[in-house]
Structure formats: C-alpha cells, structure tokens
Amino acid sequence: MHNLYPGRFSRRRFLRGITLAGTAGLLGWHPRRAAAEPPPETTRIRLVRIPSICQAPQYVAEELLRSEGFTDVQYIQREGTADIAPALASGEADLNNHFAAPLLLRLEAGDPIVILGGLHVGCFELFGNDRVQSIRDLKGKTVAVPSRDSSRYVFLAAMTAYVGLDLHNDINFVTHPGPESIRLLSEGKIDAYLGFPPEPQEMREQRIGHVVISSTVDRPWSQYFCCMLAGNREFVRKYPVATKRALRAILKAADFCASEPERSAQLLVDQGYTRHYDHALQAMEAIPYGWREYSPEDTLRFYALRLHEVGMLKSTPQKLLAQGTDWRFFNELKHELKT
C-alpha cells in the first residue's frame, strides 16, 4: 500500500478531529484547562525532524502546538539520532524526544539539557542472521551502527552489559548508514543490525534477517521508556508555561497515536514523514505510547547502571537525576490528562 488509505484527511480535519471540545474526551483533555493558563511566554517552538517515525507524537502534535498558542512551529531537519542532543544543547531546538541512554551521556558531559518525562516504550529491534539467535550470540560477530555516538550503539552497549558481554572486545562494530547496513545484512556481510521504524517494517517486508530482540515486547527493555522528552535548559527555565504547553501537545498526540493508529499513520504519510502507509500503521500499532504506565525515574536508573557497567558513565544515577531532570510538568500533565 502506498498512500492509498481511504480515510485520507486534511490538516484542518485533523485539527478539528482532535482538538475541539466534542472529541476532547478521546484524549482526556479539556480546552478550558489550557484557556485558564497564561499564554506561552514565547510563540515559537523548535523541534528536530529525523528519518524516524517512532517520533510520531511530536510530528502529529504540530497542529496541537498551534492550538496551545505557538504560532511559529519549526521542525529542524537533521540526519539521525546523534544530532538531537547537540541541537538541544546548542539551543537550535527547544524540545524533543530522544532515547534515554544517550541523554544520560550528554548530562554527564555537562550539556545544558533537562529531561522532562517519558514518551513511549519500545521501537528498537535487533535483526540478525542465522548465527545470531540471542544477544550473547553477538560475541565474535560483526554488527553495524551508523556511528559510535548514535542511539543504536548506546542501546547495544546497554544490551551487551545486561548479558555480560564485553562491548569493546567481544563485538566487531563497523559503521555504515542505515540503508547500507540493511543491504550488508541481506548479503551476509554483517551479522546483525539494530533498527528503528520504519527500518524493521521494511526488513520484515523484504525478509532480511530475523528479530533477535524487540524492545517493544522483550524484557527488561519493554519495561522502561525508550524515548523521553527533553528540553534545552535555558528554554525550560525561561519559558515554563511554554514548556508545559508544548509537553501537553506532544503527550496528547501520543494518546492520539495510541487510540487512532490509522489516522496517525495517514497523517505521517500526508505530511511527508514516510511514503508507506502500511509501515507507518505497523509502527503505530506496535509501539506502546502509554506514557502514563511507566516510570521515567526508573528508566534513567536502569540505563545509568547499564552504561556504568560498560564504562560509558561514571556518575551515579542519583547525581544525574538530581542535576538533569525536572518532572513537575510531566507529573502535572499525568493528573490533567487522565483517561
């Protein structure tokens, strides 16, 4: 299927469908709550756009952000996950969702980033050839990653630490862009590749490798947030109302992705985030966007301990949580956006 979903709808219909009072109950939110708050201190909000549809809530949230008072909504194009933290730290981006583990690395490095809450569980899937049936089978194998500072590499570091492998000596890492890595796996020139949507959907369709681990369903990864919402520290300090309003829009959009996967998938196609409706729908139906059900604090502790085990972090989880988190908006919104 290629952009053929019969329920195709416009941005105006989308906005009308999820923000007006008649359907606000679908998302557990009532416009009068936002109307009672002061307007955002800034009407500009900047987020990052990368070739990953697991970040769907912040893309779907574009019109919701406008309904929260942001008249200038910008999506800054970047190549991959390694570009998210630098954009937040530099102030090029104000808010964005990002994998928990690399956020911890940037906090320890002193980047002016603050983690604000969790967004969703799962999305990473490890694909391997016939010689790789478990994470332990990666010992002595060749695994491709886009770069050593990518989310994929950091997630593999956490995975290998969990099963007792030596990240630096047991695995042969090679760096290739995603499409090339997928091709190399199909040709038997590498043994494994860690992908995230829409790559896993494409690999299953093309019958390239098999799923070794899915962070969506396999423990312990399925028990913790994958992507978390983070902001530029100065933006959060200077614009607390804008921060809360932006988080509300993104969390409402996450609810919409969970309750309306077909419409969310079509919106991603209509706005050019992916060409394939069926891949987007598979991702929307598979990724647990139940952000109320998991603990952001437990997530950061878990990944901090794993990264400490492989020598990538020196700070204690307590120190990182104290210096780099602010849960006040997330906790308020959990109460406000009850379903």
Side-chain angles (χ1 to χ4, degrees):
M1 186 179 297
H2 179 70
N3 199 19
L4 296 176
Y5 181 59
R8 189 181 179 108
F9 57 98
S10 68
R11 288 158 64 97
R12 182 175 298 176
R13 286 179 61 198
F14 167 76
L15 178 59
R16 184 172 66 244
I18 67 174
T19 62
L20 295 185
T23 55
L26 173 68
L27 302 177
W29 177 80
H30 301 281
R32 64 179 178 272
R33 292 175 180 165
E37 297 174 358
E41 303 91 342
T42 176
T43 56
R44 184 185 72 176
I45 188 76
R46 296 169 298 175
L47 304 100
V48 178
R49 173 174 176 165
I50 61 172
S52 169
I53 57 176
C54 61
Q55 300 210 34
Q58 69 182 43
Y59 304 148
V60 170
E62 180 176 354
E63 295 298 343
L64 290 168
L65 287 165
R66 297 185 190 282
S67 75
E68 289 283 357
F70 296 100
T71 58
D72 182 7
V73 180
Q74 300 178 19
Y75 288 85
I76 303 166
Q77 185 69 53
R78 291 294 183 267
E79 292 186 6
T81 57
D83 301 316
I84 295 175
L88 287 171
S90 68
E92 292 179 272
D94 304 313
L95 295 171
N96 215 77
N97 93 70
H98 193 19
F99 179 36
L103 282 172
L104 288 168
L105 297 180
R106 299 322 309 162
L107 287 179
E108 184 173 75
D111 284 4
I113 293 172
V114 58
I115 303 174
L116 303 168
L119 187 60
H120 68 79
V121 169
C123 72
F124 286 106
E125 293 186 64
L126 179 65
F127 280 74
N129 58 22
D130 291 341
R131 299 198 303 154
V132 179
Q133 301 295 325
S134 69
I135 299 177
R136 289 187 176 87
D137 291 337
L138 294 178
K139 185 173 183 177
K141 306 299 192 305
T142 299
V143 181
V145 292
S147 65
R148 294 297 181 100
D149 60 353
S150 66
S151 292
R152 304 169 205 259
Y153 180 75
V154 180
F155 193 34
L156 283 165
M159 281 184 161
T160 55
Y162 189 74
V163 300
L165 290 181
D166 186 324
L167 176 72
H168 307 291
N169 297 313
D170 287 343
I171 302 172
N172 175 36
F173 283 103
V174 294
T175 56
H176 297 289
E180 185 175 353
S181 298
I182 294 172
R183 177 183 62 80
L184 292 172
L185 181 60
S186 71
E187 295 173 354
K189 295 179 180 178
I190 63 171
D191 298 295
Y193 175 68
L194 185 70
F196 56 79
E199 293 170 335
Q201 289 73 29
E202 295 169 356
M203 294 172 75
R204 276 191 285 271
E205 184 176 80
Q206 299 172 32
R207 299 187 179 183
I208 297 174
H210 66 97
V211 178
V212 179
I213 290 290
S214 169
S215 63
T216 302
V217 297
D218 292 323
R219 291 173 177 263
W221 323 105
S222 62
Q223 304 305 298
Y224 301 100
F225 283 113
C226 171
C227 289
M228 305 188 72
L229 292 161
N232 172 272
R233 185 178 295 277
E234 181 61 14
F235 180 91
V236 174
R237 184 197 67 78
K238 191 175 180 180
Y239 305 129
V241 176
T243 298
K244 181 179 177 180
R245 283 179 172 271
L247 287 183
R248 177 162 53 214
I250 296 171
L251 293 174
K252 284 167 58 184
D255 286 342
F256 186 75
C257 289
S259 62
E260 298 283 345
E262 296 90 353
R263 295 174 68 189
S264 301
Q266 187 61 42
L267 185 72
L268 293 177
V269 173
D270 289 346
Q271 299 306 314
Y273 290 102
T274 180
R275 294 182 297 111
H276 300 286
Y277 169 79
D278 50 344
H279 294 168
L281 179 59
Q282 289 170 29
M284 294 303 96
E285 291 179 334
I287 296 173
Y289 285 113
W291 53 272
R292 299 170 181 81
E293 302 169 21
Y294 305 91
S295 167
E297 291 190 32
D298 288 349
T299 295
L300 294 183
R301 290 191 187 96
F302 175 80
Y303 281 109
L305 291 172
R306 302 293 79 75
L307 297 180
H308 180 77
E309 290 167 357
V310 295
M312 296 178 75
L313 275 181
K314 295 181 180 179
S315 301
T316 65
Q318 292 80 4
K319 180 179 179 180
L320 293 169
L321 282 163
Q323 74 182 37
T325 64
D326 185 346
W327 308 129
R328 54 184 164 147
F329 309 111
F330 188 70
N331 289 336
E332 288 174 9
L333 290 167
K334 285 180 72 173
H335 177 72
E336 288 181 20
L337 302 179
K338 287 182 178 179
T339 55

